[in-house]
Amino acid sequence: MEGVPDGSDSDRERLVSSLARVGELGREDRDAIRNLPLVSRDLAKGVDLVRVGERTSQCCFVLDGFLCRYRMLLDGKRQILSLHMPGDLPDLECIHRDAADFSLGTLTPSRVGLIPHRALVDLISANRRIGAVLWRYTLIETAILREWTIGLGRRLAFERCAHLLCELTARMRQAGLATDGSYQLPVTQTDLGDILGLSTIHVNRVLRDLRMAGLAELRGGTVTVLDWQGLVDTSEFDGTYLRLHQPTGSRVQVPIS
Amino acid sequence: MEGVPDGSDSDRERLVSSLARVGELGREDRDAIRNLPLVSRDLAKGVDLVRVGERTSQCCFVLDGFLCRYRMLLDGKRQILSLHMPGDLPDLECIHRDAADFSLGTLTPSRVGLIPHRALVDLISANRRIGAVLWRYTLIETAILREWTIGLGRRLAFERCAHLLCELTARMRQAGLATDGSYQLPVTQTDLGDILGLSTIHVNRVLRDLRMAGLAELRGGTVTVLDWQGLVDTSEFDGTYLRLHQPTGSRVQVPIS
DNA sequence: CGGGCAATTGATTTGAGTCAAGATGCGTGG
DNA sequence: CCACGCATCTTGACTCAAATCAATTGCCCG
């Protein structure tokens, strides 16, 4: 996790493959993406990249670590609005904004690549297909947010937490960060509470219950899925929302083992 | 609310002005929007235009009435994910989807204009500015969803309900459907519960409390804002999220009286 | 006039928050 | 190498916001 002044080729390649997951890209499209200016930067835990009300001039591409969008209320309560892992573009939509209505910060030490808005806007103008892919990217994020909203409104803590674990497992596998049902998720129970709309203490109990039920385990920053089908059933998880298009020949769900 | 076989000129004009609220449009842009094929249709209350998993071939533009996106859970619980009033494009993002991850239905008798996806996709390809405006449109909807998410996760029922009333008041005024602090909102308390993640009974009590507190009143399908500043204060409402751009010379908030 | 949906109110239950107190682990500095 | 301090995790006891259960009222419409 050393500082690299400007993005390496492998960083650019990850951006290409992240976007290729969202829509079909031709050779020229890939090259155009590879040519985007990208400066990599190391960030400590708890650092904000965007703050409510601010205007930014560059977008961030996650290379390592976990970030989240969030909002604080006046009484100190925090609601996390999205969770971002390597391969994500957490503030893409800021190219269309005067002032952010959320903050974006790191939950763990992270490495990000920064891309100037200008370069993205130009690329979108020049390349209709990439424009559509980026639009779709923002729509997938909205679909994820919708699932969180449904959970917060209508699911019990246990199911809600199971659903989040399903989603994260599917996303981590998609991103190539989990090959079996086990992966790193080095966030605190307080962070999880702020995602799930629960108190830290209740998150702790729910995680214990999930472990007792033999569904999943989160210990020392590692998630272990013990019973994928059980998790899916208790949370009514259907991973379709994580993709807008089925790439030819692939099936919807991301099954385990 | 009579059936009109194909959209009248005034219907098209409303589409133009809805989109003009999102971003700057030139004369040719407006004309291109006016030339979109638009068929108007009357719908009864409780009719679905889109159902989870379905693929649609046209987008809907609300001309009259209220619609919502929602999802049902297996145990019969419903979460409403957005509320749409005349001037809204509730399923615009479906042009990018194989299968909807939400249903879209009417909450009241409604009139909508239907526009084929094909026509929209062609328009977006042909006109970059309109493409950007439509993308932005979807981002504003996401910003609204984020506010709902924050409320569901971290606000008490009373504040959450006050926040919704602030938002709806601002949106209705923006849409020209409320000139003072009073407007039609002919939805049931059960619908409100499914928006706010509350039981019908609790919605009833919260509305009573808002009335007792002298903040707002909802009776017979009419909202009356009694104390705008009070509502804003109790719900920490900041209407910035309802616009991505400040049209030159306009101020953020939508004040009352 | 009666049926049905929506709104209302009271009594009771419950899921989750809050308060309080340890336990566990870990990085830093002496 | 150990001790201290801090953050995180864990568990138990109690409280509270909101759900559920039960009943009543009001209202629109055929």
Side-chain angles (χ1 to χ4, degrees):
Chain A
M1 198 126 55
E2 288 294 72
V4 181
D6 38 24
S8 68
D9 284 349
S10 76
D11 293 344
R12 287 159 209 284
E13 220 43 60
R14 285 172 79 176
L15 180 55
V16 171
S17 63
S18 269
L19 294 181
R21 269 190 269 138
V22 177
E24 299 295 322
L25 293 176
R27 163 161 293 283
E28 336 77 73
D29 304 330
R30 288 164 196 271
D31 286 339
I33 294 167
R34 268 187 274 266
N35 284 330
L36 279 170
L38 183 145
V39 176
S40 116
R41 181 136 20 249
D42 282 302
L43 301 168
K45 168 175 155 174
V47 171
D48 282 339
L49 276 154
V50 178
R51 230 166 284 194
V52 172
E54 277 181 3
R55 176 170 203 162
T56 53
S57 62
Q58 43 199 0
C59 281
C60 133
F61 176 60
V62 184
L63 293 164
D64 211 344
F66 286 85
L67 287 82
C68 71
R69 296 188 205 159
Y70 67 95
R71 257 277 276 295
M72 303 298 301
L73 300 185
L74 292 180
D75 61 2
K77 287 194 277 230
R78 176 175 68 157
Q79 179 62 44
I80 291 181
L81 296 160
S82 60
L83 183 61
H84 299 280
M85 52 186 60
D88 283 357
L89 283 161
D91 59 350
L92 174 57
E93 65 174 84
C94 287
I95 63 176
H96 283 297
R97 291 207 151 264
D98 280 347
D101 61 59
F102 53 78
S103 299
L104 171 66
T106 55
L107 290 175
T108 68
S110 304
R111 194 163 67 87
V112 300
L114 299 175
I115 307 166
H117 286 179
R118 190 71 244 153
L120 281 167
V121 170
D122 290 345
L123 178 57
I124 292 163
S125 307
N127 187 317
R128 194 172 300 140
R129 194 153 41 235
I130 293 179
V133 164
L134 292 176
W135 185 355
R136 280 181 189 167
Y137 184 88
T138 62
L139 294 178
I140 293 175
E141 294 201 321
T142 302
I144 293 173
L145 182 62
R146 262 197 296 270
E147 290 297 328
W148 289 24
T149 309
I150 294 165
L152 286 167
R154 291 304 189 200
R155 279 195 254 263
L156 297 179
F158 186 81
E159 311 151 25
R160 202 185 305 167
C161 191
H163 196 277
L164 179 67
L165 290 176
C166 285
E167 178 193 303
L168 292 182
T169 305
R171 286 172 61 190
M172 289 294 276
R173 289 172 65 86
Q174 246 183 218
L177 298 167
T179 42
D180 53 354
S182 177
Y183 52 93
Q184 294 303 113
L185 186 72
V187 303
T188 66
Q189 295 184 356
T190 301
D191 296 333
L192 288 176
D194 290 342
I195 292 173
L196 297 168
L198 300 171
S199 67
T200 308
I201 292 168
H202 201 60
V203 168
N204 185 282
R205 295 192 230 265
V206 169
L207 288 175
R208 168 170 51 68
D209 295 345
L210 283 166
R211 198 181 334 119
M212 299 281 95
L215 294 178
E217 199 167 17
L218 172 52
R219 293 187 89 79
T222 301
V223 172
T224 310
V225 175
L226 303 170
D227 175 3
W228 173 252
Q229 197 53 48
L231 276 180
V232 167
D233 292 344
T234 60
S235 66
E236 290 181 38
F237 178 75
D238 171 356
T240 317
Y241 68 94
L242 294 170
R243 305 190 143 277
L244 292 176
H245 273 286
Q246 304 318 320
T248 33
S250 90
R251 219 59 200 91
V252 168
Q253 207 74 259
V254 184
I256 304 253
S257 74
Chain B
M1 196 127 57
E2 287 294 75
V4 180
D6 38 24
S8 68
D9 284 349
S10 76
D11 294 345
R12 288 159 209 282
E13 220 43 60
R14 284 171 81 175
L15 180 55
V16 171
S17 63
S18 270
L19 294 180
R21 270 190 268 139
V22 178
E24 299 294 321
L25 292 176
R27 164 161 292 284
E28 335 78 73
D29 303 331
R30 289 164 196 271
D31 285 339
I33 294 167
R34 267 186 275 265
N35 284 331
L36 280 170
L38 184 144
V39 175
S40 113
R41 181 139 16 251
D42 282 302
L43 301 168
K45 168 173 157 178
V47 171
D48 283 338
L49 276 154
V50 178
R51 232 166 283 194
V52 173
E54 278 182 3
R55 174 169 205 163
T56 52
S57 61
Q58 44 198 1
C59 282
C60 132
F61 175 59
V62 184
L63 293 164
D64 211 344
F66 286 86
L67 287 80
C68 71
R69 296 189 205 156
Y70 68 94
R71 256 276 277 294
M72 303 298 301
L73 300 185
L74 291 181
D75 61 2
K77 286 194 277 232
R78 175 175 69 157
Q79 178 63 45
I80 291 180
L81 296 161
S82 60
L83 184 61
H84 299 281
M85 52 187 59
D88 284 356
L89 283 161
D91 59 350
L92 174 57
E93 64 175 86
C94 288
I95 63 175
H96 283 297
R97 294 207 149 262
D98 280 348
D101 61 60
F102 53 77
S103 298
L104 171 66
T106 55
L107 289 176
T108 68
S110 305
R111 195 164 67 87
V112 300
L114 300 175
I115 308 166
H117 287 179
R118 190 71 246 154
L120 282 168
V121 169
D122 289 346
L123 177 57
I124 292 164
S125 308
N127 186 317
R128 195 172 299 139
R129 194 154 41 237
I130 294 179
V133 164
L134 292 176
W135 186 355
R136 281 181 188 166
Y137 184 87
T138 62
L139 294 177
I140 292 176
E141 294 201 319
T142 302
I144 294 173
L145 182 62
R146 263 197 295 272
E147 290 297 328
W148 289 24
T149 309
I150 293 165
L152 287 167
R154 291 303 189 201
R155 279 196 253 263
L156 297 179
F158 186 81
E159 310 152 26
R160 202 185 304 166
C161 191
H163 196 278
L164 180 68
L165 289 176
C166 285
E167 178 192 303
L168 292 182
T169 305
R171 286 172 61 191
M172 289 293 277
R173 289 172 66 86
Q174 246 183 220
L177 297 168
T179 42
D180 53 354
S182 177
Y183 52 93
Q184 293 304 113
L185 186 72
V187 303
T188 67
Q189 296 184 357
T190 301
D191 295 333
L192 288 176
D194 290 342
I195 292 173
L196 297 167
L198 301 171
S199 67
T200 308
I201 292 167
H202 201 59
V203 168
N204 185 282
R205 294 191 229 268
V206 168
L207 288 175
R208 168 169 51 68
D209 296 345
L210 283 166
R211 198 181 334 120
M212 298 281 94
L215 294 178
E217 200 168 15
L218 171 53
R219 292 188 90 77
T222 301
V223 172
T224 310
V225 175
L226 303 170
D227 175 2
W228 173 253
Q229 197 53 48
L231 276 180
V232 167
D233 292 345
T234 60
S235 65
E236 290 182 38
F237 178 76
D238 171 357
T240 317
Y241 68 95
L242 295 170
R243 306 191 144 277
L244 292 176
H245 273 287
Q246 304 318 320
T248 33
S250 91
R251 221 57 202 91
V252 167
Q253 207 74 257
V254 183
I256 303 252
S257 73

